[in-house]
Amino acid sequence: MDFNLTEDQRQFAELARQFAADELAPFAAKWDEEHHFPKDVIHKAGELGFCSLYSPESEGGMGLSRLDSSIIFEELSQGCTATTAMLTIHNMATWMVTTWGSETLRQQWSEGLTTGRLLASYCLTEPGAGSDAASLATKAVRDGDDYIINGSKMFISGAGETELLVVMCRTGEAGAKGISAIAIPADTAGVSYGKAEDKMGWNAQPTRSITFENVRVPVANLLGEEGQGFTFAMKGLDGGRINIATCSIGTAQAALTRATEYLNERKQFGKPIAAFQGLQFKLADMATELVAARQLVRLAAFKLDSKDPEATAYCAMAKRFATDIGFQVCDNALQLHGGYGYIREYPLERHFRDVRVHQILEGTNEIMRLIIARRLLDENAHAIL
């Protein structure tokens, strides 16, 4: 067992670190303040392969592992949490289209999505179906060679700015087995968008509701077969949980780095406050917990890459632990800055706001606890511990 990064992984990390330093970090505060969605920067990220990290090479993707991707996303999120989070969502939706899309659909969309020239949103959540995703009501009815879709989605990242929507719809019976995944061009007649939500954080990407009124798309836009949508959605969320946990780790690392610098810069009682033992203890705890969270995220990514039968439980563990620790580290880093941490001149309050939503997304952390507990209590489960 070797915990060191490979030479390729170190090079991936360096490339992402440089991109974050040059293209993300200098502008993140302005994007947050102005609620600006930096599509031009995401397009630049696509030129480096960051929009299709684990999509298959046969479709123009990078074909990297989830572990490789996590290492890259961690570096990017140190530059801008919200923009990196949108990149992870686009990666997930692109992977679904390029993996399960029909030949017709892939020919139409793969090149644009994998290069970042076109962007995609993942559409699962509804007003009446959040954690209970299997109860979703958006319906797709077959009409000859088309589907006609009616329903609504909410809290959709990128909605109104992306070009393709990967939508979970009901094509059959009640419950998970009746759900299918359909790719819908975002400008299709009958698709409309709500106002951009005024959010606590993630202000560098829009979040809107979407309404589908008699939206007609070809049957060729179905991913896989009818009834497979829920399985695809859950597979997407396993990786999505690693991605969002990684964004928490990267943001927390940025906050810890800034706090360490501040403790050495700030002087009180004639010496740097880094000399005070109580603050040293706090810094040590933050670093220890962050390293533990990072290792759990990378273990979960390894389990997912290895197709471990308990990968879902590990992804839930990583998401639960890393998003909680990421928020705590950002909170403590803000506290170490005193009043300065609370003003927008410093990035700490933005880090604090941006990571808070990670404890809610991709299934709340309470849902993560249920997933883990049920696997532990299942007599047919493989050993987790």
Side-chain angles (χ1 to χ4, degrees), residues 207-238:
T207 302
R208 293 184 174 93
S209 61
I210 307 177
T211 301
F212 303 94
E213 293 184 89
N214 295 321
V215 174
R216 183 180 288 270
V217 297
V219 170
N221 286 28
L222 176 71
L223 303 189
E225 299 177 0
E226 284 194 5
Q228 292 185 313
F230 191 79
T231 298
F232 295 163
M234 294 304 103
K235 286 179 179 292
L237 286 179
D238 278 344

Side-chain angles (χ1 to χ4, degrees), residues 245 247-249 251-253 255 289-290 293 320-332 351-352 355 359:
C247 288
S248 287
I249 296 302
T251 308
Q253 181 63 64
E289 290 162 354
L290 182 56
R320 202 292 296 167
F321 188 68
T323 58
D324 282 350
I325 292 300
F327 179 72
Q328 291 171 23
V329 169
C330 290
D331 187 18
N332 288 330
H351 294 332
F352 177 89
V355 298
Q359 296 169 293

Side-chain angles (χ1 to χ4, degrees), residues 5 8-20 24 45 48-54 62-80 84 87-88 91 243 246-247 250 298:
L5 301 187
D8 283 348
Q9 289 170 337
R10 285 193 291 269
Q11 290 182 9
F12 293 150
E14 179 55 34
L15 180 64
R17 187 180 304 121
Q18 195 61 54
F19 185 85
L24 300 179
L48 296 176
F50 295 157
C51 286
S52 56
L53 291 176
Y54 48 88
M62 295 290 287
L64 298 181
S65 68
R66 297 308 179 100
L67 178 56
D68 293 340
S69 302
S70 176
I71 290 165
I72 291 169
F73 287 140
E74 180 180 337
E75 295 294 341
L76 293 175
S77 60
Q78 293 189 51
C80 179
T84 304
L87 275 170
T88 72
N91 266 269
N243 292 345
T246 299
C247 288
R298 292 182 179 178

Side-chain angles (χ1 to χ4, degrees), residues 6 29 75 78-79 94 118 169 173 178 189 235 257 272 282 288 297 302 327 336 338 343 350 359-360 363:
T6 66
E75 295 294 341
Q78 293 189 51
T94 296
L118 303 174
C169 307
E173 63 189 81
K235 286 179 179 292
T257 299
K282 175 61 71 176
T288 301
V297 170
F302 168 78
F327 179 72
L336 289 171
I343 62 177
R350 173 166 44 86
Q359 296 169 293
I360 301 169

Side-chain angles (χ1 to χ4, degrees), residues 119-313:
L119 300 179
S121 291
Y122 175 83
C123 308
L124 175 63
T125 302
E126 298 183 0
S131 297
D132 183 14
S135 67
L136 64 83
T138 296
K139 194 168 186 178
V141 177
R142 182 77 178 260
D143 182 36
D145 292 331
D146 295 332
Y147 284 110
I148 299 176
I149 297 135
N150 285 279
S152 62
K153 300 292 180 178
M154 68 183 302
F155 300 146
I156 305 304
S157 291
E161 296 284 350
T162 52
E163 285 75 30
L164 187 67
L165 311 174
V166 178
V167 183
M168 305 305 141
C169 307
R170 187 162 302 286
T171 55
E173 63 189 81
K177 293 182 179 180
I179 296 172
S180 299
I182 300 175
I184 303 176
D187 59 356
T188 304
V191 178
S192 60
Y193 301 92
K195 67 177 181 65
E197 300 291 352
D198 189 10
K199 309 188 296 287
M200 174 180 174
W202 274 24
N203 291 319
Q205 56 161 281
T207 302
R208 293 184 174 93
S209 61
I210 307 177
T211 301
F212 303 94
E213 293 184 89
N214 295 321
V215 174
R216 183 180 288 270
V217 297
V219 170
N221 286 28
L222 176 71
L223 303 189
E225 299 177 0
E226 284 194 5
Q228 292 185 313
F230 191 79
T231 298
F232 295 163
M234 294 304 103
K235 286 179 179 292
L237 286 179
D238 278 344
R241 285 163 185 160
I242 292 172
N243 292 345
I244 209 66
T246 299
C247 288
S248 287
I249 296 302
T251 308
Q253 181 63 64
L256 177 59
T257 299
R258 185 67 192 89
T260 303
E261 294 170 351
Y262 180 79
L263 263 59
N264 282 309
E265 295 167 357
R266 176 73 168 166
K267 291 185 177 180
Q268 291 289 280
F269 307 103
K271 56 185 175 181
I273 60 175
F276 294 102
Q277 193 176 63
L279 300 185
Q280 292 175 3
F281 287 168
K282 175 61 71 176
L283 209 61
D285 287 344
M286 292 162 67
T288 301
E289 290 162 354
L290 182 56
V291 169
R294 176 181 293 117
Q295 295 306 318
L296 182 54
V297 170
R298 292 182 179 178
L299 173 62
F302 168 78
K303 294 288 187 181
L304 192 57
D305 287 330
S306 303
K307 297 180 172 54
D308 188 285
E310 295 301 336
T312 293

